[in-house]
Amino acid sequence: MPLFTWTEDLSVGIAEFDAHHRRLVELINELHEAGSGGLPRVDLGRVLLSLSHYIIYHFLAEEEVMHRWQYPEAESHRREHMLLTEKTLGFVAAFHRGDENITKDLLVFLVSWLQNHIRTVDKKYQAFLTAKGVH
Ligand SMILES: [Fe+2]
Ligand SMILES: [Fe+2]
């Protein structure tokens, strides 16, 4: 059973970013399955790497669009991305230092921030970017 299910109320009205968010939900579910299925450590490490790469890829994509359209809240949004990235990479570093329980803590953190960030911070750019013709 997936840990996290995508629902329409998470849509930010921009197809590319909705697709990214859906992929993030998938990767979080993969990490959940990898962690609870007792996968070898090396495979768990691989899932963690894909997830952290995708998070950074998605953040840069949003930042690029916000910058291109001179979204007034781009800077505070970018700072929030930085904090989330630092926190995620901190969990990954702890995993590589040998902390076995990190996956559970990371999942709890990711599910709550992804939902909060999409609902509060990402949704804020919807009206502005849609008015610029981004969809
Ligand atoms: Fe964002
Ligand atoms: Fe986002």
Side-chain angles (χ1 to χ4, degrees):
M1 201 184 136
L3 178 72
F4 186 4
T5 309
W6 170 268
T7 44
E8 261 320 304
D9 62 316
L10 288 171
S11 172
V12 294
I14 293 163
E16 181 191 1
F17 297 151
D18 279 349
H20 287 182
H21 293 149
R22 282 173 187 266
R23 179 70 188 131
L24 281 170
V25 169
E26 270 176 26
L27 284 165
I28 287 172
N29 285 326
E30 270 176 40
L31 181 64
H32 174 62
E33 279 160 35
S36 50
L39 272 192
R41 219 184 130 73
V42 63
D43 292 329
L44 205 50
R46 214 168 281 143
V47 178
L48 271 176
L49 193 64
S50 308
L51 180 59
S52 37
H53 278 174
Y54 201 82
I55 287 172
I56 293 167
Y57 164 77
H58 167 62
F59 285 173
L60 290 175
E62 280 188 346
E63 288 165 24
E64 199 271 318
V65 169
M66 289 190 285
H67 177 74
R68 193 186 328 148
W69 295 100
Q70 301 188 330
Y71 174 57
E73 292 183 60
E75 190 48 36
S76 57
H77 196 138
R78 197 185 63 81
R79 273 201 300 274
E80 172 116 358
H81 283 171
M82 262 173 54
L83 288 173
L84 297 170
T85 305
E86 277 168 18
K87 192 111 201 229
T88 303
L89 294 180
F91 278 112
V92 175
F95 172 82
H96 288 292
R97 282 196 304 269
D99 189 335
E100 297 295 333
N101 295 317
I102 216 62
T103 317
K104 255 186 221 122
D105 298 341
L106 175 62
L107 284 169
V108 170
F109 167 72
L110 286 175
V111 170
S112 87
W113 84 244
L114 189 61
Q115 298 209 48
N116 287 333
H117 183 82
I118 293 173
R119 283 182 211 278
T120 59
V121 182
D122 283 353
K123 269 183 192 270
K124 267 198 197 168
Y125 60 52
Q126 178 167 4
F128 179 87
L129 292 175
T130 305
K132 299 281 181 193
V134 184
H135 53 263

